[in-house]
Amino acid sequence: MAFRVQFENNNEIGVFSKLTNAYCLVAIGGSENFYSTFEGDLADTIPVVHASVAGCRIIGRMCVGNKNGLLVPSTTFDTELQHIRNALPDSVKVQRVEERLSALGNVIACNDYVALVHPDLDRETEEIIADTLKVEVFRQTVANNVLVGSYCVLSNQGGLVHPNTSVVDLEELSSLLQVPLVAGTVNRGSEVVGAGLVVNDWAAFAGMDTTSTELSVIESIFKLSGAGPSSITSKMRASIIESMS
Amino acid sequence: MNSQSYYNPNVTLPTVLCCVCGLPINPNSANMCVPCLRSKIDISEEIPRQSYINFCRGCQRYNIPPSHWVTAELESPQLLAILLKRVKGLSKVRLVDASFVWTEPHSKRIKVKLIIEKAVFSSTVLQHSFVVEFVVMPSFCEDCHQGAAKDHWNAVVQLRQKVKHKKTFYYLEQLILKHRAHVRTINIKERPDGLDFYYSTRNDAIKMVDFLQSVAPVRLKLSERLMSTDLQSNTANFKHTYSVEIVPICKDDFICLPAKLARSSGNISQVLLCLRVGTSLKLIDPNTLQLAEVTNEKYWKEPFSAICSYGDLLEFVVLDVEPVSTRGKFALADVQCVRARDLGRASGSFFTRTHLGNLLRPGDSCLGYDLTSLNTNNSDFESLDHCQLLPVLLVKKHYPYRRKNRRSRKWKLKTLDKEIECTNQFEQDKASAAFESFLQDVEEDRELRSTINIFKNLHFNSDDCAVRNEEDEGEEDFPEPSIEEMLDASTARAAVFHCNGKKPGAIVNLTRQHRRSTATISFCLASRYSCPPNQFGTGLKFLLAREIDLKSILSETKEAAGIHWATRQAAKSVTLSTPFFATKSSSPRKG
């Protein structure tokens, strides 16, 4: 289900939150409306956690993760790291990464199986990603832009990229990532889809400015329509639950 | 940002959906389809869709604020330029195209279609086309105001001189024309003893008064008449009258100074001739060649009058000249002269002294005052010892033969445009005689000539002077203005118009097949502006300074019988032609 929400009157949801299939991180805001929107929808299934990274609220852009793990930049405080470790389920490995490009959310876009990274990312970081997040890492650009995390949003069902991505690139990426991709916008024509949108396999949250056309595109590509909490037990069970033993 | 190292011409972008309406579009920086973009952003919102321009009802000109008025046709490029200047906010956008949308000419609305371009979202340029409507507001320009307010004056300068002749006024008229002190006058009227200049503002009257004070010895008195008052705002409207009185002494007058004044001016004799009247009176004693100057203030403290003047001049013939001494350009001489009418008689010659010694030769005729047969009422003069006086005072040289034969001069003067009260034949004769004498003064006196403008007479008929007598050869020293002194009348006329800041406003070609019917029209045209018509073929061509005069003339003559008139708006010229036979019915208008 796709929702419209605002963080302190700001439409850039992807900046202030991080949503995966296993958990959800939310920035600490003045009023708790933002948090309560997430909580109201997701708290039954996954933990919704307040967090901050390096004292900043822009957690969506600083850290990256999927159901297997979470990577945080080296600037994270120890206390914050501890808090996140405590709050998240044990299956999620939290790892601090020493990386020059410390805004991990901007340079890495990933779902539970594949990850796209900035072409200039360190070797070690790439290995850490492959280890912690258990994904296949590809170095690519999106629409000739190296900030793949900002211009691309991935979930296990599909992905949304910058509208200026050429058709050739779209096909190439799609074959790499093995998910259908579409070029589109969010928040009334904004190209920075990574910052404007957070998505997992059954829910998506976009800014209040998102038009209904954009929302319908999001719902179609991420296969969210009609996906309520009840369908967790039916269709999305496999992606949520690793093993039943 | 774009790190493409090679150029790929086959890049095809996918179609995204317009974020507002869902229409598949090529992605642009706004990611909206053009209609949605247009509906969201209006680049012309700062440009007012309605504005106004001022249009003068009198002279059909459009106003460019603050005070410039321009003629323009409807739907002409000049009008477009004027209107575009009136559109506010055009500087912030780029104007691609501007054109007129047709409106009914009498609707007082002008519609202009503008296409403007502006950049939005840093890389998108949006074009917008819209119509701006201008309302034509009727008003009156400054010049039409002036013309219409002809009879409404707020200040008047009443110039008077209590003398029998008007020679000083002719001279002042030329000075005013030369220095163009009359440009702001609404009206000039001729009165007995002087002229009245009417002005619409007090400042213009003060300017004229200052000018007069600088060229003539005058006495000023100001009086005001209350027209209306507003007690609430503490203002009042007045009609101002400046009474300017010129000293009643003229050039070549015979004067008797009061004794005290004569003593204080270098102990000069009381019996003097007036040489020149400028800002002060210059007097000469013909007995001793002593010069004295009486300033304006000194005169009005103790005014004196002239004993003999221009009308009392008699013609004398010089029989013998004996120079005595010289002083500057005057030479003292003892002369023996006789009255011209007494020439040939044995008795009746006078022995006198004159200051014109270097000009007179035996046999010359000259003009002077006969003091022996004088009858005055002047107390100062009567207190003098009459035995000490000269019997005859010679004033200036006279050229009788040249004057008689000469019918037209090579030069001419301009005159002011003034209203003349109806006078009888006697007064007119006196006036024309005085004017003729003034012209003679101009001819003879080089210094006087240098202060005024004279013009070449294009109608000079040299045949008139072909007849000469043998006596003429004796008058070789007849003074005449040289060609260099004469201004070309056409350049002067152009100068007059140019100085007003405009080219000739209108041209009227009056073609006449029937002389009588055009007489009234040409009189009407000639009186509007004092520029004489040019003759061409059977017609007359009048140059008018203002188009507004043309309009008024046309409206006057429209009612006149049997007039065709064809106008050419572009050239601002009108051809008035009368039919061969004058008829009562008026003909339809052409053109």
Side-chain angles (χ1 to χ4, degrees), chain A residues 141 143-146 151 162-168 170 183-185 188-191 210-214 216-217, chain B residues 1-4 6 8 10-23 26-32 40:
Chain A
T141 61
N144 294 326
N145 198 302
V146 291
Y151 292 106
H162 188 288
N164 281 0
T165 321
S166 62
V167 174
V168 173
L170 258 182
T185 63
R188 202 167 253 277
S190 164
E191 299 95 47
T210 313
T211 58
S212 47
T213 317
E214 291 166 336
S216 70
V217 167
Chain B
M1 183 181 78
N2 287 349
S3 54
Q4 235 181 350
Y6 58 92
N8 189 352
N10 294 324
V11 154
T12 44
L13 293 175
T15 46
V16 290
L17 300 182
C18 164
C19 64
V20 177
C21 61
L23 199 72
N26 282 332
N28 55 34
S29 56
N31 294 313
M32 289 199 271
K40 191 175 163 196

Side-chain angles (χ1 to χ4, degrees), chain B residues 539-575:
Chain B
L540 294 170
K541 190 168 178 163
F542 292 87
L543 283 176
L544 301 175
R546 303 189 305 196
E547 219 181 330
I548 176 188
D549 294 324
L550 179 68
K551 295 271 186 283
S552 54
I553 288 166
L554 289 181
S555 57
E556 280 175 29
T557 56
K558 211 161 65 166
E559 267 64 60
I563 306 288
H564 296 280
W565 47 287
T567 55
R568 278 168 58 212
Q569 269 291 81
K572 293 191 204 67
S573 78
V574 172
T575 307

Side-chain angles (χ1 to χ4, degrees), chain B residues 314-360:
Chain B
L314 280 178
E315 196 181 326
F316 290 86
V317 176
V318 170
L319 298 176
D320 192 22
V321 177
E322 263 176 46
V324 171
S325 61
T326 60
R327 187 192 168 137
K329 66 176 185 179
F330 299 108
L332 200 59
D334 284 327
V335 296
Q336 188 192 14
C337 57
V338 72
R339 285 197 214 110
R341 62 170 191 258
D342 290 341
L343 193 60
R345 281 202 220 147
S347 65
S349 67
F350 303 97
F351 289 93
T352 181
R353 215 165 237 207
T354 175
H355 61 286
L356 304 170
N358 50 357
L359 295 174
L360 295 173

Side-chain angles (χ1 to χ4, degrees), chain B residues 274-425:
Chain B
C274 178
L275 265 186
R276 171 159 288 119
V277 176
T279 47
S280 59
L281 299 169
K282 289 190 185 43
L283 310 167
I284 188 170
D285 181 5
N287 228 344
T288 56
L289 281 193
Q290 194 179 357
L291 292 166
E293 197 170 316
V294 177
T295 57
N296 205 9
E297 293 83 24
K298 258 201 262 176
Y299 176 83
W300 290 112
K301 257 190 241 152
E302 209 180 332
F304 48 88
S305 61
I307 298 173
C308 295
S309 186
Y310 150 75
D312 303 317
L313 283 171
L314 280 178
E315 196 181 326
F316 290 86
V317 176
V318 170
L319 298 176
D320 192 22
V321 177
E322 263 176 46
V324 171
S325 61
T326 60
R327 187 192 168 137
K329 66 176 185 179
F330 299 108
L332 200 59
D334 284 327
V335 296
Q336 188 192 14
C337 57
V338 72
R339 285 197 214 110
R341 62 170 191 258
D342 290 341
L343 193 60
R345 281 202 220 147
S347 65
S349 67
F350 303 97
F351 289 93
T352 181
R353 215 165 237 207
T354 175
H355 61 286
L356 304 170
N358 50 357
L359 295 174
L360 295 173
R361 303 275 170 274
D364 280 345
S365 48
C366 56
L367 296 169
Y369 301 114
D370 186 356
L371 297 181
T372 54
S373 52
L374 193 61
N375 207 352
T376 57
N377 205 357
N378 197 323
S379 48
D380 291 320
F381 190 64
E382 279 157 21
S383 59
L384 287 177
D385 183 9
H386 285 245
C387 310
Q388 299 283 329
L389 287 177
L390 298 169
V392 166
L393 281 176
L394 296 178
V395 170
K396 58 183 181 178
K397 199 166 159 184
H398 184 48
Y399 306 91
Y401 296 106
R402 284 279 186 120
R403 296 283 174 217
K404 240 192 289 184
N405 288 336
R406 173 76 47 110
R407 242 163 271 169
S408 63
R409 295 187 163 83
K410 282 191 194 143
W411 54 276
K412 62 178 190 242
L413 295 172
K414 280 191 186 283
T415 52
L416 280 176
D417 182 26
K418 49 189 183 289
E419 281 179 37
I420 305 174
E421 289 178 20
C422 294
T423 50
N424 51 20
Q425 191 62 30

